[in-house]
Amino acid sequence: MTGPGQINRHAEAGRIDRTRRISFTFDGVPMTGFEGDTLASALLANGVKLVGRSFKYHRPRGIFSNGPEEPNALVRLRVGDRVEPNTRATMIPLYDGLVAESQNRWPSLAFDVQAVNQLFARFLPAGFYYKTFMGPFANTKLWMRFERSIRKAAGMGTGTHAPDPDEYDKMSAHCEVLVIGAGPAGIAAARAAAASGGRVILLDEREEIGGRLLMERFQVDGLESGEWLARERGALEAAGNVRILPRTTAFGYYDQNMIGAVERVCDHLIKPPPHQPRQRLWSIRATEVVLATGAIEQPLIFADNDRPGVMLAGAVRGFANQYGVLAGKRIVVAANNDDAYRTAIDLHDLGATIESIVDVRPKGPGPIRQEAKDRGITYLRGYAPVKAQGRRAVRQLAILKLDENGKATGSQRAAACDLVAMSGGWQPTLHLSSQTGAKAYWDAEKCCFLPGPPRQRERSAGACAGVFTLPECLAHGHAAGLEAAEAAGLARPEIEAPKASAPQEVPPRAYWECPDPINTPGKKFVDHQDDVAASDVRLAHREGYISVEHLKRYTTLGMGTDQGKTSNIPGFAIMAKARGVEIGQTGTTTFRPPYTPVALGALAGPEVGERYMALRRTPMDGWHEEQGCEWIDAGLWRRPRYYPSGPRESLFDAYIRETMATRGSLGIVDVTTLGKIDIQGPDAAEFLNRLYINGWKTLPVGKARYGLMLREDGIVLDDGTTSRLGEQHYLMTTTTANAVRIMAWIDYHLQVVWPDLRVKAVSVTEQWAAMALAGPNARKALEKVVDIDLSSEAFPFMACGPATLNKGSAAGEIKGRLFRISFSGELAYELNVPADYGRAAWEMLMQAGAEFDITPYGMEALGNMRIEKGHVAGPELDGRTTADDLGMGRMMSSKKDFIGAKLAGREDLIRADRKQVVGLVPVDGKTKLRQGAQLVEKDAPAEAGTLAAGGKPIPMIGNVTSTGYSPELDHPIALGLVVNGRARLGEEISMRYPLRGLSVPVKIVEPVFVDPKGERLHG
Amino acid sequence: MNDYSVWSVLRGGLTGQRHWKPAWRDPDPQPSYDAIIVGGGGHGLATAFYLAKLHGVKNVAVLEKGWIGGGNTGRNTTIVRSNYMLEGNAHFYEKSLQLWEQLSHELNYNVMFSQRGVLNLAHSDAQMDAYARRGNAMRLNGIDADLLTAEQVREIAPMCDFSDKARFPIHGGLFQPRGGTARHDAVAWGFARAADRLGVDVIQNCEVTGIDVEQGRVTGVQTTRGAIKTKKIGLAVAGHTTQLAEMAGLRLPIESHLLQAMVSEPLKPWIDTVVTFGAGHFYISQSDKGGLVFGGDLDGYNSFAQRGNLPMLEHVIQCGVALMPSLKRLRLLRHWGGVMDMTMDGSPIIGKTPIEGLYLNGGWCYGGFKATPGSGWVFAHTIAQDRPHALNEALSLSRFETGAVLDERGAGPTPGWH
Amino acid sequence: MLRIECPWCGPRDMVEFTYVGDGTLQRPAIGAEAGHFDYVYLRDNPKGVHVELWRHGAGCRQHVAVKRDTLSHDILQCGKPGEVTK
Amino acid sequence: MAELEIRRRSALEGRLEPGDFGTVCADGPRLMVRERPALAIAQVEAWPESAAETVEKIGKTVGVRPSRDPLVATVAGETTALWVGPDSWLLVEPESARGVASLVETLAAELGGQAALTDQGHGRVCLRISGPALTDVLAKGCTLDLDPGRDFDPGRVVGTSLGHMTVTMHRVDEETADLYVARSFAVSFLDWLMHAAAEYGVRVEAA
Ligand SMILES: Cc1cc2nc3c(=O)[nH]c(=O)nc-3n(C[C@H](O)[C@H](O)[C@H](O)COP(=O)(O)OP(=O)(O)OC[C@H]3O[C@@H](n4cnc5c(N)ncnc54)[C@H](O)[C@@H]3O)c2cc1C
Ligand SMILES: NC(=O)c1ccc[n+]([C@@H]2O[C@H](COP(=O)([O-])OP(=O)(O)OC[C@H]3O[C@@H](n4cnc5c(N)ncnc54)[C@H](O)[C@@H]3O)[C@@H](O)[C@H]2O)c1
Ligand SMILES: Cc1cc2nc3c(=O)[nH]c(=O)nc-3n(C[C@H](O)[C@H](O)[C@H](O)COP(=O)(O)O)c2cc1C
Ligand SMILES: [Zn+2]
């Protein structure tokens, strides 16, 4: 199938490049257009009228506008994993190979099965679903069935689940003056501001700068608008202090003059070239902002005003002047203002027939009437359009005479036409200023909402401030540019404003909803996309949804992809009339970003996929990788989970092997990720005393101590060892998970709470590679490489001090720190060396340990061994446990005050029936215990009921926190929290894991399974 | 008053839908009421409804400073679930879920409660264990829960990243099939209409500006529409809880924070359940209109602005795309914010206050929508009987003093972290 | 997007900071018996002017006191902790 | 025992093969990247009342006087003093710049207990980047005003968030900056940088 060709293309008019012919397809039909077209202009050129189906009634719809406000012409653009639903044809630059499909129709656009909905339209008023489908029974079954069909019928385009192959980018920028919108007002503002020498950014969402100048036949400074634009653009580019960003939409105005904008870097291409982003998100921080965003034309509301061929008058003119496309040949213009006359005039001059202008104003137009008269264009004063006739496309327009109250009188007439160009006047595009909270107000004279008093450092200029004629726009923009520059602290420049002339205009009339046609009613659409008709607005009124916010939510008025850019004002006007108030009293709904929809990829930016969050690596990362370890995430870090000995070794086998090797001889583990904080100063010990629940003043130099910290509310915050390296010098370690939080905690207390304490704290986590050597042969192996006496007398348990590896060797030595501390419960040493030496030190230890079959072990074995020893860790320190719950209540010093001391004493934190850490073993000695299981009394019932329905839940007396397997004891072990657990040692209870149907009898035991006297670590 | 049914809609089709009456009256405030509920959100309206329906207290006014449902009820991401671990929360939210299951029927208003399931994803074994702990507790409390494998997750949410490019691969997830979403505005409207039918005065555009307290008991309120006498005041003002409490001289363990929410352009069905990301701040569902509704973390600072900033928006969407790479080409339609009443333990407060006749319902953090019917149900009980119901006993204000806090996350007394 | 003037580093975007919270709270002195509950749990939570602390974590690591309107998000004053009062 | 090779290994070892990446531009790559490996870095935190004296002492011993004014980097010979917080500095030089006693040892001997001194020589990775795309690349990851006369002129040192990672950035001259990032983040940071710069063409140079 091929199309009829560019039948609606004027021979000369337009700013397109006729030397560059572009091929594209719409619904599979190949067509051509020209460089400079949008998809919409190319479709119109090819005579395509029907482009989509509406949301609810699946009515045929055509192109309605030529801009971002488009409610109807939404297409599914591109193919495969680049598919983009709901894309406005009016904003898609035409490129070679473009593929677009219509939406919301099946099986085809011309024949759409769901168009039968139109027949039932009167049974589907706004909000009908609130009144139906409740079903005869009090459950959700019936509704769930209906919901499925409603969901299928609703929605617009179809998205894909295939990942988007394109990249997105982000950039921040700063400037003194940001000008949003590059129409005449914006350009005038930018050139004025730029003359001050400050940094100016001028952005516009269209492909080129120029705004309505691109769409009109105007002259500025005595030049044709195209020439003037070229001149001004050249001058701005040459100035050096101006950045021009076309294809860039300012979508959100955020606090403190931060504007979010998205640049469509490659959307005019079939796909981005390598290393180029598809789109770029700009965060622009401007000292001053000029909003020159123009205005949006509103429709008139009459029966079947949604027929293809009923368009906005400004758009009809825009298509003609910018692209040389005549959307119709016999045109009726229907309007409440002067500006629409220009459409009649321009189209007449391009050869179209103007059937007539239907003007709802009793007095008709201002001076522009002369231009119309000169061309023989007739206009009817005090008439309104009442119905667009024709099924798939408009064939004629029925009109009625209005009396002075705006009511219909007389008999209905019809004008034959293939295009209705309608205009309900222009509403300033005040979205961005409104987003800041500046409250828009109604100007009854100008018949539009104007931006409210600024809440931020911004001003509106040109049409978006309700200044509508070209000379005034230029002057207004110029003044705004000067003012902005001055407000930004720049010198007021000497520069002339651009000049133009235009006839005076008389004000429009606040008249949108036209009378019903005689005899043949039809829906009068307000919100085309959401199929909200004037009758729906009145229904909302009747039912009490009279606030505009209720109106919106009840009828979905303005909730589509266009956010009501062409429907809110007429809708509010109908509500105002029904309530008998002025539209200014109903106000507007809240304006929210984005101004137009923004690709989520652009907001997400490049840090997704593998780059989603940084990956932190320890200095021994490469070594672990070479060993083929399995990794586990620990916050942003990756740590070895276990080192499989071969492809078939399971996680369980591996960690048991690693555990046995360590306990049997020697193991080594990378513990670099623990937080390390260097604490110095005369008050360091006092500070530690306040942070930790136990005392620090007696700790001698060269010794380490285990410490526990509470939050202010008395709950355990973190634990770790802190070592005294010098008189006034300590090294604190924190858990991996809390490293950052504890550093911030310390900063807060030193800077804000106790600034009088003379303490300096610095994170040194990154400086040191840390590794623990554990097992009965740890000393023997270590002795081979360090320069200090490791005997228990010289370097007992909890000793610490400097140590040098390979001292005096020609190959080089490594100066580090050694700590005799143990998490595994074995004789163990923790070695810290400067990070760049981490791998060398590790390899040295591997070599020294070779004769003892040294085994690297990962997080699983580490966890298993600490469980065997009953050491608590993350799963027990879950932010709800007290020191006493963990069995460390006695560490709480009563001789000093510390963070959390007071609130830890609250009644519910010291009750006897709190959960306490205990050990758990399966009664049968075999069955594995599971983390995440709950604990109940052994005779608890099997089936639970809900309390809410009067049933009986199964009371939980605790939960399993950590599980492992002790190879030494040869049975599974676990730690758990059990109500009053320490008093119930030896008792049998039941482990429940109903998610997997498990119920296992377990016995409560002491939480230390291996070497309870600690002989090994002292050995 | 018209009953809502298919028949009445069909009948209306023949008469231009002209027979409908206002869903609620627009009364002027009376000089006095037996009870006054401040706040015309879901909670306030539900409270009034249950007071009238279950406790025979019908001379009730709901005072709303703006339009009903315009607070957090009208701006939330509508997730309904009862997947709580701690008993003080679990039974209460389960009660609420059970009320949801019959709510449309009870109100004769379709609140479109869609039990499409709520899926919380886990990205490590440790997270799976944490979810198992919660899921097992739910089961033992008689609440539905399933622990899904990664493969099962894939069936439900195929758009998630299961490739080797995922920074935090999906290990599985906790699923509550009975959870889901509801049409938030309809909840406010449905309760308002039902309460109105029982005689409750729903009064909009009426801001409470003062609470009269004499000798430790309340006597009335001051409003922008005059003074009103009453002996019982129930506060249900969400983000403004501390403002109202202050009128009665109370300081509370609550801060108001800003939470943003977002909606995409409308699409044909794209995702059929509620999914939450476990390795970042992101959760998503699809409204019946077709928009993908999603959100993430608090902006992080105290705020009453109902309007957020770009960094959190970017962050939430970054998390979303990390989880679902095919979101990139879809578009953001609108984003907004709400004022969250964040408590110091992340759980709500429903109960009595030190002032006689003043009852508190607040501190909902980002989870109060699902509580709406349950909250109204227990709050009505508390107000009518002057003592909490067993289901809200644990949610008392005094728990902070005694230490019996309900801290599901274990985040401690920093409201922004819950 | 909030822009906070760090007394050391100058105006910086909020993304460089982490929010700490109410800056008017006074921790009871070490050894004090009372006041902890109020310090930890109770807040004025003003709708309007709020003095709060932010930590310039990506910059100089210092705490910055900020006077900010919680309704408009306008930042009224920034300074060192203790220098900014209501 | 076999002799092991004992040497510092950068966190970026093997990840910065010299070569050109990204877009091929007519006038060559617009960003150059190389690592400054094996640095000695000492962090000095002075007490307010003796900070002036500490500054003098540092100046005397290592040849560069750190600035007490915020955001100022001072350079003398091979040594750089970076302001990183009030009366807090990083002193940076190639490890090879000094003889037997290291930078930290030298400072420790001079300062005694007068200021808190910590060794960070292995805790930071430093990338030197230069070229005409310098500020464009940085603008992709941070919110500073990078235009001349603003936040990041030559001689400035700033702590900021770049690509969601905390970095200390020192503007060495018009077209050159040193980026210091925590060691554990180095690989991710390099990945971010190369990706951000690809659009402009990047050349990795040997250290
Ligand atoms: C972005 C966002 C997402 C959320 N997502 C979820 C979710 O997925 N699931 C979930 O369960 N919860 C969610 N929540 C939380 C949930 O929305 C709220 O907890 C719940 O709706 C609160 O209902 P409410 O009736 O208590 O408050 P609101 O609906 O806020 O009602 C309080 C009313 O009090 C009025 N009021 C205030 N001051 C006065 C006064 N002085 N006089 C008179 N009236 C006054 C307000 O105008 C308001 O209408 C979310 C919230 C937000 C903001
Ligand atoms: N006579 C009338 O009734 C009437 C009414 C409206 C407009 N006009 C004419 O239109 C022109 C108005 O000039 P103007 O400069 O004020 O407006 P304009 O419409 O010419 O330019 C506004 C520009 O802002 C851009 N824009 C809008 N929002 C944006 C955003 N968020 N991000 C990026 N770009 C955005 C648009 O793409 C457009 O190019 C004048 O020529 C005027 O005569 C006349
Ligand atoms: C679940 C849900 C779905 C929404 N869907 C849409 C939508 O499809 N279109 C739309 O314009 N807004 C939608 N919104 C956003 C509302 O328009 C509105 O922004 C929000 O309720 C907050 O109110 P406010 O912006 O008036 O302050 C939705 C909001 C919610 C909570
Ligand atoms: Zn700073």
Side-chain angles (χ1 to χ4, degrees), chain A residues 556-575:
Chain A
T556 72
L557 170 69
M559 294 183 81
T561 63
D562 59 327
Q563 292 283 289
K565 292 189 176 63
T566 57
S567 57
N568 279 343
I569 304 296
F572 302 158
I574 295 169
M575 176 57 85

Side-chain angles (χ1 to χ4, degrees), chain A residues 627-665:
Chain A
Q627 302 305 306
C629 78
E630 289 292 330
W631 296 103
I632 188 164
D633 289 315
L636 294 183
W637 293 95
R638 68 171 185 183
R639 304 184 71 178
R641 186 173 197 182
Y642 62 101
Y643 301 82
S645 64
R648 257 172 308 169
E649 193 181 35
S650 69
L651 162 68
F652 179 77
D653 290 348
Y655 90 73
I656 295 300
R657 174 180 51 74
E658 291 171 9
T659 301
M660 287 168 72
T662 304
R663 295 221 187 278
S665 176

Side-chain angles (χ1 to χ4, degrees), chain C residues 6 8-9 56 60:
Chain C
C6 172
W8 291 275
C9 308
H56 193 192
C60 62

Side-chain angles (χ1 to χ4, degrees), chain C residues 8-9 12-13 16 58-60 62, chain D residues 70-71 84 86 143-144 158-160:
Chain C
W8 291 275
C9 308
R12 296 292 180 93
D13 256 88
E16 294 188 1
C60 62
Q62 299 301 300
Chain D
L71 310 174
V84 290
T143 54
L144 295 171
V158 294
T160 190

